[in-house]
């Protein structure tokens, strides 16, 4: 049985809008303009990051990124400010750090907070920075054309890439070439991922056939591990119980009556609609939305459907959108075969983030 039914499964009211009614078509200029940290991290800074005292790699990451920010904030070609901390990332102790830094760690340890803090510390008229997810950069290259994308991004002092993943051979070759050209142009690179750069693609495609490209990606970065537990669940209660369908509809109507930008969708209809919208447009899909309501949530076993849901969950989290849902508990969204497969870290992050949004939805 397919994971997404036809759009006749739409379950909404005449009054409450739904995401399935939307088909955003952002312009190439909008894609460029959107290369900034999402609202959730608009005020992120190194000072607001709270390292776990039991995890020394977190404090080390803050200091290493502060050092990089000092080096990079003077504009292209600026190499000032290199101190002892920069040598933490050198090979063999005496070699200068590479023009790229890569934060590797599990979900919920604050890697995105750190990456956005770096963006804010560097970004200025003399040292402009870009920030986006991996899928946003690959889509930018498709929308602008590879050469125009390189020209636009090479004008930046720093390019930040969140959620770095090589999910297919095409992306592997594209990103290897893009990073090489940006690095050669003097643009600094910073990335986060749940996977070490020389292990990207493992468990997802025949990575050994693209080993040269993967190694080329890895060679651009000094790697820093960030350990710790998921901060979203430190000392927090268990995930909220799902609402009933009637409760979801009632709460959606109440939010609408208060003038909020609420959307209400049947889960199956939403999954079907996501298949018609490129994941790079999921942010635009949520324009003007302040709360999300789903009825009939159920486990998703089809991997392509599940990965689209992961991206939507990320964009919802970026925008701090409370979630109210009925049906299966959110920690049962992805069955064991997915949670134990090659994309397990993505699914774990999605469950963590959606659970945090559901807590917010149940409290509001």
């Amino acid at each position: 049985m397919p994971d997404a039914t036809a759009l006749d499964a739409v379950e909404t009211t005449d009054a409450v809008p739904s995401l399935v009614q939307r088909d955003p078509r952002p312009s190439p200029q909008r894609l460029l303009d959107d290369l900034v940290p999402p609202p959730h991290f608009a005020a992120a800074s190194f000072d607001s990051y709270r390292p776990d005292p039991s995890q020394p790699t977190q404090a080390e990451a803050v200091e290493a990124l502060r050092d990089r920010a000092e080096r990079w904030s003077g504009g292209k070609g600026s190499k000032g400010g290199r101190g002892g901390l920069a040598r933490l990332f050198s090979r063999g102790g005496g070699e200068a750090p590479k023009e790229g830094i890569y934060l590797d760690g599990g979900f919920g340890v604050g890697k995105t907070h750190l990456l956005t803090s770096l963006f804010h510390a560097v970004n200025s008229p003399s040292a402009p920075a870009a920030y986006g997810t991996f899928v946003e950069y690959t889509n930018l290259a498709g929308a602008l054309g590879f050469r125009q994308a390189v020209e636009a991004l090479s004008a930046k002092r720093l390019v930040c890439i969140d959620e770095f993943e090589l999910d297919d051979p095409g992306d592997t070759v594209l990103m290897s070439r893009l990073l090489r050209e940006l690095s050669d142009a003097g643009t600094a690179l910073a990335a986060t991922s749940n996977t070490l750069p020389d292990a990207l693609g493992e468990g997802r495609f025949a990575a050994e056939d693209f080993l040269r490209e993967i190694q080329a990606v890895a060679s651009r970065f000094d790697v820093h591990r960030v350990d710790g537990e998921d901060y979203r669940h430190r000392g927090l209660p268990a995930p909220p119980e799902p609402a009933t369908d009637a409760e979801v509809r009632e709460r959606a109507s109440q939010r609408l009556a208060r003038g909020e930008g609420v959307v209400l969708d049947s889960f199956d209809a939403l999954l079907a609609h996501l298949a018609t919208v490129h994941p790079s447009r999921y942010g635009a899909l949520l324009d003007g939305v302040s709360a999300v309501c789903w009825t009939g949530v159920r486990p998703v076993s089809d991997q392509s459907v599940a990965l689209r849901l992961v991206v939507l969950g990320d964009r919802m989290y970026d925008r701090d959108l409370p979630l109210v849902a009925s049906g299966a508990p959110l920690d049962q969204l992805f069955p064991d075969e997915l949670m134990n497969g090659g994309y397990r870290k993505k699914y774990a992050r999605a469950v963590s983030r959606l659970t945090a949004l559901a807590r917010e939805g149940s409290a509001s």
Side-chain angles (χ1 to χ4, degrees), residues 176 179-180 210-221:
S176 175
L179 296 182
R180 181 180 69 250
F210 296 87
L211 186 59
R212 183 174 63 181
E213 284 80 8
I214 292 172
Q215 289 174 337
V217 170
S219 71
R220 302 285 169 179
F221 297 97

Side-chain angles (χ1 to χ4, degrees), residues 176-344:
S176 175
R177 183 182 172 196
L178 180 64
L179 296 182
R180 181 180 69 250
E181 298 210 16
L182 292 179
S183 182
D184 290 347
T187 297
L189 305 170
T192 70
S193 182
N194 300 316
T195 307
L196 289 168
D198 58 0
L200 288 164
E202 287 185 359
R204 295 181 282 279
F205 65 93
E208 63 275 9
D209 294 338
F210 296 87
L211 186 59
R212 183 174 63 181
E213 284 80 8
I214 292 172
Q215 289 174 337
V217 170
S219 71
R220 302 285 169 179
F221 297 97
D222 289 320
V223 179
H224 193 79
R225 176 75 186 176
V226 185
D227 297 306
E229 63 176 310
D230 183 354
Y231 78 91
R232 287 180 283 269
H233 302 303
R234 293 175 193 165
L236 293 175
E241 289 294 319
T244 65
D245 287 356
E247 289 170 339
V248 173
R249 296 190 194 97
E250 180 181 2
R251 294 174 72 175
S253 296
Q254 290 172 346
R255 287 180 177 274
L256 185 67
R258 296 197 296 264
E260 298 181 28
V262 62
V263 289
L264 169 63
D265 286 274
S266 156
F267 191 65
D268 276 335
L270 176 62
L271 296 182
H273 186 58
L274 292 180
T276 71
V277 180
H278 190 278
S280 64
R281 293 191 272 136
Y282 288 2
L285 188 68
L286 295 167
D287 281 352
V289 174
S290 59
V292 175
C293 296
W294 294 340
T295 58
V297 171
R298 58 172 179 76
V300 179
S301 58
D302 183 281
Q303 184 144 266
S304 61
V305 176
L307 289 173
R308 288 192 287 267
L309 184 60
V310 167
V311 177
L312 180 66
D314 286 340
R315 302 294 78 79
M316 289 167 55
Y317 183 77
D318 289 345
R319 290 157 176 76
D320 291 318
L321 302 182
L323 172 64
V324 180
S326 65
L330 293 174
D331 57 4
Q332 296 178 19
L333 263 180
F334 309 112
D336 289 344
E337 61 265 27
L338 295 187
M339 293 299 291
N340 295 325
Y343 295 103
R344 58 190 176 276

Side-chain angles (χ1 to χ4, degrees), residues 107-241:
F107 58 91
V109 298
K111 300 188 302 299
T112 298
H113 186 130
L114 291 173
L115 188 65
T116 53
S117 298
L118 177 64
F119 172 95
H120 292 308
V122 172
N123 187 47
S124 71
S126 63
Y131 174 96
T133 62
F134 180 86
V135 70
E136 287 173 319
Y137 287 111
T138 56
N139 186 58
L140 181 71
L144 295 182
F146 182 82
R147 182 49 49 196
Q148 284 185 281
V150 170
E151 290 176 0
L153 295 175
S154 62
K156 307 294 185 181
R157 178 64 186 102
L158 169 67
V159 168
C160 299
I161 309 167
D162 201 15
E163 304 163 18
F164 200 111
E165 291 284 356
L166 298 181
D167 292 341
D168 63 60
D171 284 349
T172 301
V173 175
L174 173 67
M175 290 305 292
S176 175
R177 183 182 172 196
L178 180 64
L179 296 182
R180 181 180 69 250
E181 298 210 16
L182 292 179
S183 182
D184 290 347
T187 297
L189 305 170
T192 70
S193 182
N194 300 316
T195 307
L196 289 168
D198 58 0
L200 288 164
E202 287 185 359
R204 295 181 282 279
F205 65 93
E208 63 275 9
D209 294 338
F210 296 87
L211 186 59
R212 183 174 63 181
E213 284 80 8
I214 292 172
Q215 289 174 337
V217 170
S219 71
R220 302 285 169 179
F221 297 97
D222 289 320
V223 179
H224 193 79
R225 176 75 186 176
V226 185
D227 297 306
E229 63 176 310
D230 183 354
Y231 78 91
R232 287 180 283 269
H233 302 303
R234 293 175 193 165
L236 293 175
E241 289 294 319

